[in-house]
Amino acid sequence: RIEDGYRELKKGKKVCLITTGFTTHMAIRAADTLKKDIGVIDVFLLKPFNSDSFSKILKKYESVVTIEEGFIHKGGLDSLIRSTIDNEAIKINFKAIGFQDSYVFDIGSRDYLHKLYGLDEVGIVKTVNNLLKR
């Protein structure tokens, strides 16, 4: 349903990768590589967003990782998901992957910057494996 603002592409129980835009493709590949109980949700609209139905899905997971090609902790996807978790008092591990709010002096392609910030498939797999070790 387009009015929900999201779509659960893969169902899981342990870790849910919540992503938007281009990084959705990397999240799907990472989930396929992990071959574990990993879910993937593509958030394609930040507004309107059906946080009631979304929170029901989140309650099935142990951990959540937001993945976005933007600055984290600055009002983007991670903030939307974090506020949903807080408002619904969901007990879940939370990790945000994205760009830090700082200057980047490295020069390179989009793939290079993704690798640098852990937004590539390898970085996502590493983050999920670290969460699963907890």
Side-chain angles (χ1 to χ4, degrees), residues 7-120:
R7 169 98 191 231
E8 189 174 18
L9 303 175
K10 289 180 152 294
K11 294 180 186 280
K13 290 185 182 174
K14 295 205 178 268
V15 177
C16 183
L17 304 176
I18 303 173
T19 183
T20 187
F22 182 79
T23 55
T24 301
H25 304 285
M26 287 177 277
I28 291 169
R29 286 197 304 266
D32 289 343
T33 298
L34 287 159
K35 295 183 178 154
K36 297 177 182 171
D37 207 2
I38 310 300
V40 177
I41 296 177
D42 176 28
V43 177
F44 51 84
L45 289 175
L46 298 179
K47 271 193 167 192
F49 183 76
N50 188 339
S51 60
D52 291 334
S53 67
F54 191 81
S55 63
K56 289 175 187 169
I57 293 172
L58 286 187
K59 290 176 183 177
K60 300 175 189 175
Y61 290 94
E62 296 172 12
S63 301
V64 165
V65 177
T66 60
I67 306 163
E68 62 188 303
E69 202 175 39
F71 294 111
I72 55 174
H73 313 301
K74 295 295 176 190
L77 176 67
D78 65 315
S79 298
L80 174 70
I81 304 309
R82 185 79 231 178
S83 68
T84 300
I85 290 168
D86 291 345
N87 290 339
E88 298 293 326
I90 300 170
K91 299 209 183 311
I92 195 166
N93 296 317
F94 179 84
K95 174 76 178 161
I97 302 174
F99 299 117
Q100 300 298 319
D101 188 16
S102 62
Y103 288 107
V104 177
F105 294 102
D106 292 284
I107 298 172
S109 66
R110 186 183 209 183
D111 290 338
Y112 173 75
L113 291 174
H114 285 172
K115 182 178 181 180
L116 187 66
Y117 284 92
L119 288 163
D120 62 341

